[in-house]
Structure formats: C-alpha cells, structure tokens
C-alpha cells in the first residue's frame, strides 16, 4: 500500500513535469520540477494523512516519495549535463576514434556551454571579462565548505585547480 | 525523554544518521577517497543505519513494525543519495570548479577550465570502458549493448523531463 501510494505520487509528479515542459518549453527543467515539488510535497503529505492511520506509514510514504523525486532529478540532470552520457550519445551513431570524440565534444566547447549556463543562472556576469556575481560567490563558498567536510584534505581537486 | 523517543522513533533514526555523518567527517573521508569506496560506504549506511535504529527502538521497549522498517529505509535512502550527490558535485562539478576559481580571484579561467575538460574527457572514456558501456574498436571506441540501453534510458528520461541534449 505504501509502495503503491509513493509510486502513484511520483508518477503523477513526473507527468506534471512532462506537461510543464510542453506548456513552458523555455523554462529550465530543474526550475519547473522545483516549483512542482514545492507544491506537490505538502499535498502528498496531506493525502497520506487521509489514506494512512498509522503515523509511521505516513512517514514512510512521504520519505519514499521524496527519495523517488530526488532519484528522478538525479537521472535527468545526469542526462542533461554528464560528460559520460554525452559520450554515449555520440557513440550511439557508430564507432568513433579518440580524436573524433575529442572534436565532437571539445574541452573548449564544454567550457563555453558551462559559461553560458552559469551566466543564464545568474552566477556569472556576461561581458568581455568573466566575473562572478554575489550569488555565484555564495554558491562557491558553500561548495568549498561542503568539499572540506566531505572530502579528504589530502586530495582536493578544487585546490589543485586554483591558480597559485 | 524516553516517552518522546517512543512516540517519535524517527528522531532516533535521524540521530543515528547524524552520527554516521559526523563519523564520515571525522574519520571515513580520510580512507574512502574514490567514487567506488564512497558508494560502498553509503550503501553500508543505507543497509546498517535502519538496523541499528531498530535495535535501539527495540531496547526502548517498542516492537518494530513493518511501516517503521519502511520509514527508516526511506529516510536512509534519502540520506545516502543526498550524500552521494553532494560528494560527487563537490568532487567533480565542472561549473563549480569554474565558480570557485573566479571567487578565489582568478582573472583567466578558460585555459585552466579547458585543461580540466581534457582530463575529465580522458577519465570518463576510461570509466565507460571499465563499466562495460563502451569498448575499444579498430576505429577507436564503440558503444556496447549495455551502453546502448543506458543511452536509450537517458534519452527517454531527458525527453520526459523536457531537456534537450545540445550537440
């Protein structure tokens, strides 16, 4: 019953996300999903309180719904931004040499796409000289704090990439 | 206190997950440094976390129910996947590395970013071969049957979410 409830809820959320993509094609997929989730999660919790009598059943239903949403976001962001998935897309058309792969998905192109996205998200200022916005600087600081908490201090790729 | 915990056993589970996080920050991160190692650690947390909580709950005089087990595993799944996402984001996100470089005062990031891109490209090809998603070919590399399934699945999810792959 709990599994059926959570699966129905995530299926409904994915359908809404798909519909929102048809209605607002220019809006970002993550923004569309975030808005849907903010509205849908309290509704799912409320409906679960009507369906289930036991408190732990309601907690379980909400937790598995939340997990399924997170997994869905992980999957679609992976298919949007992952280098590995893009290499698979390219190779689906047929075998390629290493040079072909490098040309089809060049580091310069990867940088351009990321810069474009960072500017569009308001993390960087557009213009000749690339500058980070306040919002971007805040995200970078949070990322550094998290990195220092989660990773070994002996292996820090962020530090390795910083200019001396 | 005992009554509060008996009425809200998810608080116990939250505290146990917090303990796992603190132990990661204090000890585990110095030993588990690769993606595979961190995945194994989080899978262990997902499996063991609820079991530890169930033992504590039982010691408090509650009889664990099926709903309780499902709830604890659901909460553990959220913890593990959030942890893995944040870990990989702070480990290898290209965009974040660019932002950090600029925040630290770098004037020019293009060359450094392209170097990261080149190493990332080579690393990804190696991991795809290791995972059996692509294989070496006379021409260079070819996609495997498993790789084709993964690419088709990724396309289906991207279409569902309304995101487009940019060539």
């Amino acid at each position: 019953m709990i599994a059926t409830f959570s699966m129905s809820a995530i299926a409904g959320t994915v359908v809404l996300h798909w519909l929102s993509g048809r209605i607002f094609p220019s809006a970002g997929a993550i923004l569309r999903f975030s808005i849907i989730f903010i509205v849908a999660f309290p509704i799912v919790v409320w409906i679960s309180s009507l369906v289930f009598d036991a408190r732990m059943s309601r907690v379980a239903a909400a937790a598995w719904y939340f997990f399924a949403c997170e997994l869905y976001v992980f999957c679609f962001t992976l298919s949007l931004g992952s280098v590995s998935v893009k290499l698979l897309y390219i190779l689906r058309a047929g075998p390629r040499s290493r040079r072909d792969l490098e040309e089809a998905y060049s580091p310069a192109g990867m940088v351009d796409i990321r810069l474009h996205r960072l500017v569009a998200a308001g993390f960087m200022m557009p213009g000749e000289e690339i500058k980070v916005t306040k919002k971007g600087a805040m995200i970078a600081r949070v990322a550094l704090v998290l990195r220092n908490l989660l990773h070994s201090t002996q292996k820090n790729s962020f530090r390795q990439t910083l200019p001396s | 206190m005992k009554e509060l915990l008996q009425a809200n056993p998810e608080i116990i589970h939250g505290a146990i997950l917090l303990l796992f996080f603190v132990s990661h920050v204090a000890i585990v991160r110095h030993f588990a440094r690769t993606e595979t190692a961190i995945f194994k650690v989080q899978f262990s947390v997902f499996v063991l976390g609820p079991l530890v909580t169930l033992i504590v709950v039982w010691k408090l005089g509650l009889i664990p129910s099926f709903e309780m087990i499902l709830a604890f595993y659901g909460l553990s799944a959220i913890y593990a996947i959030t942890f893995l996402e944040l870990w990989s984001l702070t480990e290898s996100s290209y965009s974040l590395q660019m932002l950090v470089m600029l925040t630290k005062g770098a004037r020019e990031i293009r060359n450094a970013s392209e170097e990261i891109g080149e190493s990332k490209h080579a690393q990804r090809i190696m991991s795809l071969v290791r995972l059996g998603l692509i294989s070496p070919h006379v021409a260079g590399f070819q996609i495997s049957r498993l790789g084709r399934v993964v690419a088709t699945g990724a396309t289906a999810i991207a279409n569902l979410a309304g995101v487009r792959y940019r060539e």
Side-chain angles (χ1 to χ4, degrees):
Chain A
M1 183 65 180
I2 293 168
T4 314
F5 178 85
S6 301
M7 281 171 73
S8 311
I10 183 65
T13 309
V14 170
V15 169
L16 281 176
H17 192 220
W18 175 77
L19 274 175
S20 71
R22 296 288 172 277
I23 300 166
F24 308 105
S26 57
I30 296 171
L31 175 72
R32 281 188 284 112
F33 190 83
S34 304
I35 294 169
I36 291 168
F37 179 77
I38 287 167
V39 177
F41 188 69
I43 295 173
V44 168
V45 171
W46 175 66
I47 296 173
S48 74
S49 70
L50 302 176
V51 175
F52 302 108
D53 292 330
R55 214 175 121 268
M56 287 319 282
S57 300
R58 298 200 288 269
V59 174
W64 282 104
Y65 169 71
F66 191 101
F67 171 71
C69 285
E70 209 173 345
L71 199 61
Y72 173 67
V73 171
F74 172 75
C75 289
F76 81 71
T77 50
L78 194 77
S79 59
L80 172 73
S82 162
V83 175
S84 309
V85 172
K86 281 176 186 172
L87 288 172
L88 288 179
Y89 287 157
I90 293 166
L91 284 169
R92 202 161 48 168
R96 299 273 182 102
S97 68
R98 189 182 279 268
R99 183 174 286 180
D100 283 344
L101 289 177
E102 281 166 7
E103 279 171 13
Y105 200 53
S106 68
M110 287 162 80
V111 173
D112 286 337
I113 290 173
R114 261 97 188 153
L115 285 175
H116 176 78
R117 282 191 199 146
L118 287 168
V119 170
F123 296 142
M124 279 186 190
M125 280 183 247
E128 290 258 318
E129 196 187 350
I130 306 165
K131 276 184 185 168
V132 68
T133 60
K134 270 186 184 172
K135 193 170 136 190
M138 196 184 72
I139 294 286
R141 272 187 221 107
V142 171
L144 273 173
V145 169
L146 276 174
R147 166 133 204 118
N148 289 334
L149 278 177
L150 301 179
H151 296 260
S152 167
T153 45
Q154 289 162 15
K155 175 178 166 272
N156 193 329
S157 62
F158 274 2
R159 269 180 218 151
Q160 281 164 7
T161 59
L162 292 176
S164 53
Chain B
M1 184 67 177
K2 194 177 174 183
E3 286 76 26
L4 175 79
L5 293 176
Q6 280 176 335
N8 304 283
E10 65 273 19
I11 295 175
I12 304 168
H13 191 53
I16 282 165
L17 291 177
L18 187 67
L19 270 180
F20 275 115
F21 181 76
V22 172
S23 69
H24 176 88
V25 174
I27 304 161
V28 181
R29 68 183 170 133
H30 301 299
F31 300 99
R33 293 185 196 165
T34 62
E35 260 176 13
T36 318
I38 215 75
F39 180 80
K40 283 178 184 168
V41 168
Q42 288 311 308
F43 186 73
S44 310
V45 170
F46 169 69
V47 174
L48 296 175
L51 291 179
V52 174
T53 312
L54 288 170
I55 293 169
V56 176
V57 163
W58 180 66
K59 288 274 181 196
L60 280 171
L62 283 176
I63 297 165
S65 61
F66 178 67
E67 290 82 10
M68 197 184 276
I69 295 169
L70 269 183
F72 292 162
Y73 272 101
L75 293 170
S76 285
I78 294 169
Y79 169 80
I81 198 167
T82 307
F83 188 100
L84 286 173
E85 278 181 37
L86 288 176
W87 190 91
S88 64
L89 193 76
T90 51
E91 167 72 8
S92 58
S93 168
Y94 207 173
S95 309
L96 267 184
Q97 289 188 36
M98 288 160 113
L99 271 182
V100 169
M101 279 194 277
L102 283 170
T103 308
K104 289 269 180 176
R107 289 258 167 228
E108 206 288 314
I109 59 163
R110 186 167 282 278
N111 289 339
S113 303
E114 284 182 18
E115 274 173 34
I116 301 168
E118 274 165 29
S119 68
K120 204 183 236 295
H121 205 276
Q123 280 167 17
R124 290 300 182 265
I125 290 176
M126 282 192 292
S127 6
L128 287 174
V129 172
R130 210 170 43 237
L131 291 167
L133 298 175
I134 65 172
S135 58
H137 183 263
V138 197
F141 295 97
Q142 66 177 358
I143 194 165
S144 67
R145 198 173 287 179
L146 180 64
R148 208 169 277 281
V149 171
V150 171
T152 308
T155 310
I157 291 171
N159 287 336
L160 199 61
V163 291
R164 293 277 174 271
Y165 160 57
R166 275 170 264 186
E167 289 274 4

